[in-house]
Amino acid sequence: MTRLSAITPSGHAQLGNYLGAIRRWAGEGSPGDLYFVSDLHAMTVSYNPAKLRSLSRETLAVLLAAGIAPDRVFVQSDLVRELGALSWVLECACSYGEAARMTQFKQKADGQGVVRLGLLTYPVLMAADILLQGADEVPVGQDQTQHVELARSLARRFNSTYGDVFVVPRAVMAGTAARVMDLSDPTRKMSKSTQDSAGVVFVLDDPDLVRRKISRAATDSDNRLEYRPTFQPGLANLLEILASCTGRSPIEVAEDHTTYGELKEAVAEAVVAELAPLRAQALEYLDDPAGLDSIRAAGAERARERGKHILEAALRMAGVG
Ligand code: AQP
């Protein structure tokens, strides 16, 4: 059974990516699981090419540093030829209406001056990511279920029109994980591409910077140290982060503290301790470019090999190639 998950290098990996996803991938995955750095997905909005290249490497180093086995990771663009070919085949099996209906496309396109065509077609590329690897399951949050549904429809349609080639993937709801909110504005999710990084803890931030960011986290003037997410979202976020780092519940950790200042110090130390081994390992990988390159090349080779027969069969059945 293969599960496939990805992280887009649209910025530096942040605490939410780690607590909500990467740490689980490293801890709970089964040997057949695959994880990739979805750098092609970062091209759907304006970006800097040199920065994207370095973020892709850094993100790969973070996945490995978290403990994901080297033989389970790859970088998406290393398969750009295979994915480009399969995407085209799938685009020709997808209607314009299906693509334009995607809620995420409508949300992201809204308010953008120039909407890249890639923003419309990226769910088809995502279908190619999934179908090329023959993934059985794709763990997703609410915002991605529609895209996996599209991958299912395209796989079924292709299989019934041209012949059975693709595994029809299932979307599985990622179990309840920490949803880390921005420290400056706890009403919005912590995100790697947020312009103002004051409220975002990046996993490779220096420990003193982590402490500073957490000490400045928005709370409230209630001075009630209780876990009440609706009324005290900033405080609840800090309690959830502390709970997630210490393996306890937010209600329990709230009982250990009496002032916001004391709580923030405890959160900062817990986050610094949680990230320290990850940061050290990631920096080691980044200090050894040849080693990282060879892990990356081997991952690409394995992923290419996995997808080779599927792509060849799809092209043959579609009457091309
Ligand atoms: N704040 C978060 N709390 C918990 N989990 C989070 N994830 C992201 N932010 C949080 C999870 O991290 C995984 C990889 O994320 P992604 O790169 O696929 O895209 P994203 O969810 O859009 O992540 P960001 O950081 O918010 O990026 P940008 O700024 O580009 O939008 C996913 O499993 C995601 O749920």
Side-chain angles (χ1 to χ4, degrees), residues 35-103:
Y35 302 95
F36 67 100
V37 178
S38 44
D39 54 349
L40 298 175
H41 292 186
M43 296 169 64
T44 54
V45 291
S46 173
Y47 73 97
N48 174 310
K51 181 111 187 150
L52 176 60
R53 193 178 294 285
S54 98
L55 284 170
S56 298
R57 280 183 80 74
E58 183 184 294
T59 308
L60 177 66
V62 167
L63 295 183
L64 294 165
I68 298 176
D71 63 355
R72 286 158 60 194
V73 293
F74 65 94
V75 176
Q76 185 190 28
S77 64
D78 291 342
L79 276 68
V80 69
R81 287 167 188 80
E82 292 78 2
L83 289 170
L86 189 54
S87 269
W88 179 248
V89 169
L90 295 173
E91 276 184 30
C92 293
C94 181
S95 73
Y96 168 76
E98 268 176 318
R101 249 197 318 274
M102 295 291 120
T103 310

Side-chain angles (χ1 to χ4, degrees), residues 6-12 14-22 25 38 108 139 141 143-144 177-182 189-194:
I7 176 163
T8 303
S10 45
H12 301 284
Q14 41 85 11
L15 185 65
N17 299 132
Y18 181 63
L19 295 178
I22 299 171
W25 297 345
S38 44
K108 289 198 174 175
D143 56 340
Q144 287 285 343
R179 183 173 161 84
V180 180
M181 308 306 281
D182 189 284
K189 182 172 87 90
M190 190 179 279
S191 278
K192 50 181 130 59
S193 64
T194 300

Side-chain angles (χ1 to χ4, degrees), residues 186-208:
T187 59
R188 68 165 188 239
K189 182 172 87 90
M190 190 179 279
S191 278
K192 50 181 130 59
S193 64
T194 300
Q195 288 306 311
D196 175 12
S197 61
V200 182
V201 172
F202 299 107
V203 298
L204 300 186
D205 274 349
D206 176 78
D208 282 338

Side-chain angles (χ1 to χ4, degrees), residues 29-311:
S30 72
D33 293 353
L34 292 170
Y35 302 95
F36 67 100
V37 178
S38 44
D39 54 349
L40 298 175
H41 292 186
M43 296 169 64
T44 54
V45 291
S46 173
Y47 73 97
N48 174 310
K51 181 111 187 150
L52 176 60
R53 193 178 294 285
S54 98
L55 284 170
S56 298
R57 280 183 80 74
E58 183 184 294
T59 308
L60 177 66
V62 167
L63 295 183
L64 294 165
I68 298 176
D71 63 355
R72 286 158 60 194
V73 293
F74 65 94
V75 176
Q76 185 190 28
S77 64
D78 291 342
L79 276 68
V80 69
R81 287 167 188 80
E82 292 78 2
L83 289 170
L86 189 54
S87 269
W88 179 248
V89 169
L90 295 173
E91 276 184 30
C92 293
C94 181
S95 73
Y96 168 76
E98 268 176 318
R101 249 197 318 274
M102 295 291 120
T103 310
Q104 206 184 65
F105 167 69
K106 287 193 266 187
Q107 282 168 350
K108 289 198 174 175
D110 190 30
Q112 271 193 42
V114 175
V115 177
R116 297 183 180 205
L117 189 56
L119 192 63
L120 176 71
T121 58
Y122 121 83
V124 183
L125 174 60
M126 183 172 154
D129 294 328
I130 299 168
L131 302 183
L132 185 70
Q133 297 303 319
D136 305 280
E137 291 190 349
V138 185
V140 283
Q142 200 57 260
D143 56 340
Q144 287 285 343
T145 41
Q146 208 185 16
H147 292 171
V148 181
E149 271 311 312
L150 180 70
R152 282 171 67 80
S153 304
L154 297 180
R156 280 211 207 94
R157 190 172 307 152
F158 189 97
N159 286 351
S160 63
T161 313
Y162 302 106
D164 231 356
V165 179
F166 298 120
V167 173
V168 179
R170 276 185 310 275
V172 290
M173 287 308 286
T176 42
R179 183 173 161 84
V180 180
M181 308 306 281
D182 189 284
L183 297 175
S184 308
D185 176 1
T187 59
R188 68 165 188 239
K189 182 172 87 90
M190 190 179 279
S191 278
K192 50 181 130 59
S193 64
T194 300
Q195 288 306 311
D196 175 12
S197 61
V200 182
V201 172
F202 299 107
V203 298
L204 300 186
D205 274 349
D206 176 78
D208 282 338
L209 182 56
V210 173
R211 291 188 181 97
R212 253 197 325 277
K213 286 178 177 173
I214 293 175
S215 73
R216 291 179 191 154
T219 44
D220 51 64
S221 50
D222 284 10
N223 282 322
R224 262 176 82 172
L225 221 157
E226 283 170 37
Y227 180 58
R228 302 193 308 154
T230 314
F231 305 106
Q232 295 173 279
L235 180 65
N237 189 34
L238 290 173
L239 291 168
E240 283 170 15
I241 293 172
L242 183 56
S244 178
C245 291
T246 56
R248 300 169 69 207
S249 77
I251 296 172
E252 276 170 359
V253 295
E255 286 164 2
D256 291 347
H257 303 281
T258 46
T259 68
Y260 290 1
E262 190 199 311
L263 171 71
K264 283 180 174 178
E265 269 178 40
V267 175
E269 291 320 310
V271 171
V272 166
E274 179 72 33
L275 295 181
L278 175 77
R279 183 167 184 270
Q281 272 291 318
L283 296 181
E284 254 183 54
Y285 276 113
L286 291 168
D287 272 352
D288 175 15
L292 193 56
D293 281 347
S294 96
I295 292 176
R296 177 170 170 171
E301 191 47 44
R302 259 189 303 271
R304 224 175 271 129
E305 203 47 46
R306 277 182 75 92
K308 197 170 160 214
H309 299 297
I310 297 177
L311 177 60

